[in-house]
Amino acid sequence: WFSPPGGSSVASVVTSDGDAKPFKGETGNELYVRIAFAATLRSVAANDDASFVLTLPTGYTCVDAETTGDALRFFSYDALPQRRGSLSGSTVTAQSDGEWTFSSNTCEYGLHTQAAIYAGSVMMLKLTADNPSAAMPHSAGTSWTIQLKSK
């Protein structure tokens, strides 16, 4: 079990892997994200009763999300246990616990009925994004945000 600092859910971009296409206008850039949940998300009555939204900086377009493979360099740096849970990818199957939707610079994961992500869970994701068409100055806001939603 992992308790995020200050009772906040934490999402961080993994800088040791991915981002092989960092320049303006490039498409299909793979970014790895680690999320530590401070609150439990549970969808009880209907699909999408609970969800989380990752918002990328303005100009990026979120295209796809899936689980990470086992060969990331990041895993060799992390002390055991590695706490690398996974979520269903963009292809929905009968075994999926939820599904992704993408709109502009947001990636939203909506839980299916009776699915849960428990407080203390840590998830690793591979996001595919298209980069902004114009170069972003260092002074531009490049922060990502995560928002948890529940009815």
Side-chain angles (χ1 to χ4, degrees):
W1 190 82
F2 172 77
S3 178
S8 300
S9 294
V10 178
S12 59
V13 178
V14 176
T15 58
S16 60
D17 295 284
D19 200 20
K21 299 178 179 181
F23 301 109
K24 68 179 182 179
E26 291 189 301
T27 60
N29 195 10
E30 295 176 352
L31 304 166
Y32 295 94
V33 180
R34 185 175 193 225
I35 304 171
F37 290 86
T40 296
L41 290 176
R42 183 162 182 225
S43 185
V44 178
N47 286 351
D48 299 327
D49 272 355
S51 65
F52 69 89
V53 179
L54 287 171
T55 303
L56 284 61
T58 302
Y60 283 86
T61 303
C62 197
V63 176
D64 192 31
E66 59 186 279
T67 60
T68 63
D70 293 332
L72 297 179
R73 285 179 288 170
F74 172 78
F75 294 136
S76 66
Y77 308 141
D78 201 13
L80 296 174
Q82 290 183 337
R83 301 182 304 269
R84 53 177 150 156
S86 62
L87 298 168
S88 303
S90 294
T91 304
V92 178
T93 67
Q95 292 78 33
S96 295
D97 48 14
E99 59 188 278
W100 288 98
T101 55
F102 309 103
S103 177
S104 185
N105 64 329
T106 63
C107 315
E108 182 169 3
Y109 190 79
L111 294 172
H112 287 174
T113 305
Q114 298 301 319
I117 300 173
Y118 295 100
S121 297
V122 176
M123 304 289 174
M124 292 293 300
L125 302 172
K126 178 173 88 171
L127 298 180
T128 303
D130 293 341
N131 294 347
S133 57
M136 296 180 71
H138 288 288
S139 61
T142 57
S143 295
W144 293 42
T145 62
I146 183 170
Q147 179 183 20
L148 308 182
K149 298 179 179 181
S150 186
K151 291 183 181 180

